[in-house]
Amino acid sequence: MKKKIAVLPGDGIGPEIVDQALNVLYAIEKKYDHEFTLSKGLIGAVAIDETGTPLPTETLDLCLDSDAILFGAIGDPKYDNDPKAKVRPEQGLLAIRKALGLYANIRPVVNFEILKGKSPLKDEIVEGVDLIIIRELTGGLYFGEPRERRENGTVAIDTCVYSKMEIIRIVKVAFGYAMRRKKKLCVVDKANVLETSRLWRETVQEMIPDYPEVEVEFMFVDNAAMKLIVNPRSFDVMVTENLFGDILSDEASVITGSIGLLPSASSGDLTALYEPVHGSYPQATGKGIANPVATILSLAMLLEDSFGLSDEAADIRAGVDHVLGAGICTEDINPTTNYSTSVVGNAIAEYIGNNGVVDVDKITSAASVPV
Ligand code: IPM
Ligand code: MG
């Protein structure tokens, strides 16, 4: 198969983790005889530094001309600590989501059996968790107008807007997932307070008769945040608006043991984008300690969802299981480990290239030298 992939490493640890996903991609390309053309583009703080804008036109054109996008991370503390900054790295990510119409963000949360005891939650709570958060990605508070300062800057306004059309298209995606899974859908909102949430509820209620097999539950977001920790196994597919989805997916990452393990896919009208759920982790930049697994699993989603390469995706996931199971992981999973970002990436690539055999001694001796 021949495909074009736009690679946007972004900020902080973005370049390091994307390098390891590419390491794994080369192994897949070789083993399965594919031809992937990779082109790198600038986005985020690095793009601001070089071009003055967080999403240069060339990057957007590159994405439009590609079959899929692999994205690293975005954000830089020099902007976080400057609320007055006119241009911010995050605007690059929001702009690309909007420009490509990527309204459906899929965030699977699976408990890895082999990481037993790593979650701050008790084993009996997280065991067997397998849920998907479907987050609406191009509406709500993130994009509503007006968003501005008034009264000499002393009053700030953000606006939450949702149209029925936006709700229908994301909820359809959620019903699709529910139909292919346990046929359970939880719609998360704040309908006891927000008008937009009431429109969500009303719209979903109108859609329910089209999916008679799916059991639909409505849940207020505050309650959902609590249930996600108390009984995460009770969820299968969750669907929610942009900001609630952002918050709940970070929260859900504790179930897996580390946010460094959570991949995501964003799809919609144009080229789909795949990225880890975590951010740019600036404190870790350049230290070789960032966990590349979320990006590697995002690559698996890319191959499966955008190119239909399910065997290749399964190979990557098996590699991740094997390598983590062998204890080859970064310090977010095991604080006493000294395995670096590239050692973990190399081990997964080796699993793929070497038909499931990883020479742990070779990896271990490589690990004593910072890579
Ligand atoms: C995410 C991130 C982004 C978001 C930031 C970086 C703008 O937190 O993808 O979850 O809030 O959507
Ligand atoms: Mg987030």
Side-chain angles (χ1 to χ4, degrees):
M1 182 179 278
K2 281 190 180 180
K3 291 285 182 194
K4 284 195 234 176
I5 304 177
V7 180
L8 312 184
D11 303 323
I13 57 166
E16 302 162 48
I17 52 177
V18 164
D19 273 353
Q20 292 319 311
L22 297 183
N23 195 353
V24 170
L25 184 67
Y26 297 137
I28 290 285
E29 188 175 36
K30 199 163 159 211
K31 177 167 174 183
Y32 295 88
D33 206 15
H34 297 305
E35 204 181 310
F36 300 119
T37 310
L38 308 177
S39 313
K40 285 200 178 168
L42 290 172
I43 194 163
V46 285
I48 300 176
D49 290 346
E50 277 200 33
T51 70
T53 155
L55 177 63
T57 323
E58 302 81 69
T59 302
L60 186 56
D61 288 346
L62 169 69
C63 293
L64 288 166
D65 185 44
S66 300
D67 300 302
I69 305 160
L70 184 65
F71 182 90
I74 213 158
D76 188 306
K78 72 180 177 213
Y79 297 94
D80 297 344
N81 302 331
D82 177 10
K84 292 217 162 108
K86 288 264 175 310
V87 204
R88 318 185 63 81
E90 289 80 3
Q91 290 164 346
L93 183 56
L94 301 185
I96 203 170
R97 288 172 178 170
K98 197 68 170 179
L100 300 175
L102 305 177
Y103 59 83
N105 184 223
I106 314 297
R107 300 189 158 181
V109 180
V110 180
N111 179 248
F112 289 78
E113 176 63 34
I114 38 177
L115 294 183
K116 228 178 158 147
K118 299 294 183 223
S119 165
L121 300 176
K122 292 189 192 114
D123 279 342
E124 60 262 36
I125 289 183
V126 297
E127 234 162 36
V129 169
D130 178 4
L131 62 92
I132 291 198
I133 297 177
I134 299 189
R135 166 184 175 196
E136 200 291 326
L137 204 58
T138 52
L141 273 169
Y142 274 64
F143 294 96
E145 297 287 345
R147 43 198 290 112
E148 61 197 25
R149 290 287 181 97
R150 291 187 187 162
E151 318 284 336
N152 280 331
T154 59
V155 174
I157 299 183
D158 288 295
T159 307
C160 189
V161 185
Y162 268 108
S163 71
K164 221 164 161 158
M165 178 280 286
E166 290 174 300
I167 301 167
I168 291 173
R169 66 182 183 182
I170 187 71
V171 174
K172 266 192 189 162
V173 173
F175 270 116
Y177 273 91
M179 288 297 288
R180 294 192 295 278
R181 293 169 52 98
K182 293 189 206 126
K183 302 193 167 56
K184 266 180 73 177
L185 177 63
C186 179
V187 183
V188 178
D189 63 24
K190 187 73 187 172
N192 48 348
V193 176
L194 302 176
E195 201 51 45
T196 40
S197 285
R198 287 192 278 271
L199 181 63
W200 271 73
R201 239 177 226 221
E202 190 184 302
T203 308
V204 177
Q205 274 157 354
E206 288 166 12
M207 295 170 75
I208 289 176
D210 297 336
Y211 304 90
E213 289 166 62
V214 179
E215 181 195 324
V216 179
E217 180 185 17
F218 293 95
M219 199 178 283
F220 297 140
V221 62
D222 43 355
N223 187 21
M226 185 261 287
K227 282 246 176 80
L228 204 48
I229 295 299
V230 174
N231 188 9
R233 260 196 312 274
S234 66
F235 294 104
D236 181 30
V237 179
M238 302 174 90
V239 64
T240 190
E241 62 97 71
N242 205 344
L243 183 62
F244 296 163
D246 179 46
I247 298 167
L248 290 180
S249 54
D250 263 35
E251 185 195 357
S253 73
V254 301
I255 295 168
T256 65
S258 167
I259 196 168
L261 297 171
L262 247 60
S264 85
S266 304
S267 63
D269 301 329
L270 300 165
T271 324
L273 180 150
Y274 299 82
E275 58 168 320
V277 167
H278 62 73
S280 60
Y281 194 10
Q283 309 86 317
T285 307
K287 293 191 181 152
I289 56 171
N291 189 344
V293 170
T295 317
I296 291 170
L297 290 173
S298 301
L299 172 69
M301 290 182 90
L302 181 158
L303 295 175
E304 184 160 42
D305 299 356
S306 281
F307 304 163
L309 300 176
S310 306
D311 289 347
E312 288 80 342
D315 207 355
I316 296 178
R317 292 184 186 118
V320 167
D321 277 351
H322 182 91
V323 165
L324 295 181
I328 303 171
C329 54
T330 42
E331 63 172 37
D332 51 311
I333 293 174
N334 179 359
T336 61
T337 189
N338 65 350
Y339 293 119
S340 67
T341 309
S342 55
V343 167
V344 173
N346 287 342
I348 298 168
E350 175 160 324
Y351 174 94
I352 293 161
N354 210 12
N355 287 318
V357 182
V358 180
D359 183 343
V360 180
D361 286 342
K362 199 174 103 193
I363 297 288
T364 314
S365 56
S368 56
V369 188
V371 190

